[in-house]
Amino acid sequence: MTPGTVLITIGRLPKALDFARAFHAAGWTVIVAEPFRHHLTGASNSVAKRRVTPAPSASKAAYLEALGRIVVEEGVDLVLPLSEETMHVAHLRDCLPAGVSVYAPPVEQLLALHDKARFAALAASLGLAVPRTAVLGSAEARALAETSDYVVKPTLSCSGRGIVFGRAGTTPCPASADAQQIVQQQIRGPHFSTFSIAHGGRVSVTVIYRGLVMSGTVAVAFERVEHPAIAAWVEAFVERTGHTGFISFDFIVDSDGLPQAIECNPRVTSGVHFIETQDLAASTLDPAAPSPRLRATREMQQFYPTLTETQGSVFQPARFGPNLATLIRAKDVSWSAADPWPFVTMPVTSLQIILASIREGRSFGEVSTRDISWFE
């Protein structure tokens, strides 16, 4: 695709900074539009302009109308959603001027992957390993809970929001006020996450990583690992669904060494930080592009959240030592000597998220995505 103007629809998260730098280096004009007036990516010298939109949580119609207006006013050629806002932005596909593309699968395909119940059913129908999963309140859910420890969580959620655990033989109760929730067999074992870019059922790259420092259930420092069985699961899913676009999964590897996918995130996750930034634009847009290179470093962190978690674990020796070692050793995901201001100004540009997290006692990840997430 010939370089033009790209509209990135999130700016507050480090993954948006990676794509802004990548597309700028590839010759694109980068515009960032999102509800926060000040944000991490907006401080980058890769960004030509920042635009403010309503939050989807306040008015989905107003949010899409604002994006459509920005596309026309700025002469946008490509709309690039990256995070939880993807489910909203995908609805622009059929109402943009000719020649403008939205980098997202069709809405129905996206929602089938985002919905934890529908994703589990789809993966199982493809012959891929997933935990037993049923809709809360159904006979299947009651039967599952009779024989297995389980997890109750919202069907549509992100950042580990609203999860409770139950013991076999107990009655599953709602984990939150969400309209629909699932009961899922609890699998015990190490947890891994993935990020992939796919074109027409072919995986261009898959990054597999595990959390080193956690903020709630969300990793703020992570380690890239090799796991052939997980890579094979991802390749099989992408091939059998013919997927194009970003796609990510969370896995638990059971006691038999079998990876079971507990959920799918049809968007970008922190695994993107392990990909060489200058390769991201081509690997995203060009199916014929070589597989992007992976960074030599195996450990990455979001420095300020990792610092906060390390400070908070001072009186917990089992956590503090490993957290401190990671803080000292891991490379920050945002730092670039050629583009230093996003890292330097992050305490200011992220202040509203930090204060809300402290005030409400919620994780940074949950607070930073709640106004853009899809809960319908």
Side-chain angles (χ1 to χ4, degrees):
M1 189 173 182
T2 303
T5 298
V6 58
L7 177 65
I8 296 176
T9 56
I10 192 73
R12 67 190 73 171
L13 303 175
K15 52 194 169 186
L17 180 60
D18 282 4
F19 280 90
R21 288 169 171 169
F23 274 79
H24 174 73
W28 290 71
T29 298
V30 179
I31 298 172
V32 179
E34 81 122 87
F36 288 177
R37 184 170 300 278
H38 303 289
H39 48 77
L40 172 74
T41 308
S44 172
N45 56 29
S46 298
V47 175
K49 187 178 289 188
R50 295 175 301 179
R51 298 289 301 265
V52 180
T53 68
S57 62
S59 172
K60 293 175 174 60
Y63 174 67
L64 294 178
E65 181 181 347
L67 287 178
R69 187 167 56 250
I70 292 168
V71 166
V72 173
E73 292 173 355
E74 304 293 347
V76 169
D77 302 288
L78 172 66
V79 181
L80 185 65
L82 300 174
S83 191
E84 280 77 5
E85 87 283 3
T86 300
M87 266 67 68
H88 301 283
V89 178
H91 287 78
L92 282 176
R93 176 184 295 274
D94 298 325
C95 50
L96 290 177
V100 180
S101 59
V102 178
Y103 191 82
V107 171
E108 180 57 29
Q109 181 181 338
L110 272 175
L111 295 181
L113 298 175
H114 179 59
D115 184 306
K116 294 177 178 60
R118 294 173 66 185
F119 161 68
L122 172 61
S125 74
L126 298 175
L128 298 171
V130 292
R132 292 170 58 199
T133 303
V135 175
L136 180 67
S138 66
E140 293 83 357
R142 290 189 291 271
L144 189 163
E146 280 295 320
T147 58
S148 174
D149 292 348
Y150 58 88
V151 183
V152 180
K153 51 189 172 181
T155 303
L156 305 174
S157 68
C158 60
S159 303
R161 182 182 61 86
I163 296 176
V164 298
F165 296 88
R167 304 291 294 179
T170 61
T171 301
C173 297
S176 67
D178 292 71
Q180 188 177 59
Q181 297 171 54
I182 61 167
V183 178
Q184 190 170 72
Q185 178 189 6
Q186 185 179 354
I187 306 297
R188 290 181 171 83
H191 189 138
F192 298 91
S193 298
T194 70
F195 167 67
S196 301
I197 301 174
H199 296 281
R202 181 185 65 84
V203 172
S204 173
V205 64
T206 289
V207 175
I208 303 169
Y209 62 103
R210 66 182 186 92
L212 294 176
V213 177
M214 308 299 293
S215 175
T217 61
V218 177
V220 293
F222 10 82
E223 177 188 25
R224 181 169 64 85
V225 299
E226 309 296 336
H227 200 297
I230 291 178
W233 195 107
V234 173
E235 289 183 4
F237 185 91
V238 167
E239 180 181 7
R240 294 170 194 177
T241 58
H243 188 83
T244 293
F246 306 127
I247 191 164
S248 308
F249 302 93
D250 287 331
F251 288 90
I252 295 177
V253 178
D254 65 21
S255 57
D256 295 323
L258 177 69
Q260 301 201 41
I262 59 173
E263 62 183 66
C264 175
N265 300 300
R267 53 190 179 270
V268 180
T269 57
S270 297
V272 72
H273 301 310
F274 292 101
I275 298 175
E276 287 286 357
T277 304
Q278 57 265 41
D279 294 350
L280 267 178
S283 62
T284 297
L285 298 177
D286 185 2
S291 294
R293 297 165 295 167
L294 299 180
R295 293 181 176 180
T297 183
R298 288 269 178 171
E299 296 183 2
M300 303 286 288
Q301 66 173 310
Q302 297 174 23
F303 173 77
Y304 292 106
T306 302
L307 175 62
T308 299
E309 292 300 322
T310 302
Q311 292 171 328
S313 64
V314 166
F315 299 109
Q316 303 172 45
R319 291 181 58 224
F320 178 69
N323 286 358
L324 181 62
T326 299
L327 180 71
I328 294 170
R329 184 177 60 238
K331 181 177 179 180
D332 180 72
V333 299
S334 301
W335 171 253
S336 167
D339 186 22
W341 285 109
F343 177 82
V344 172
T345 62
M346 191 184 301
V348 175
T349 57
S350 300
L351 186 60
Q352 64 190 103
I353 302 174
I354 295 169
L355 293 178
S357 177
I358 295 171
R359 183 174 60 250
E360 300 172 19
R362 299 178 183 272
S363 72
F364 189 90
E366 183 177 349
V367 171
S368 67
T369 58
R370 63 184 176 185
D371 65 322
I372 59 171
S373 296
W374 180 274
F375 298 117
E376 293 184 14

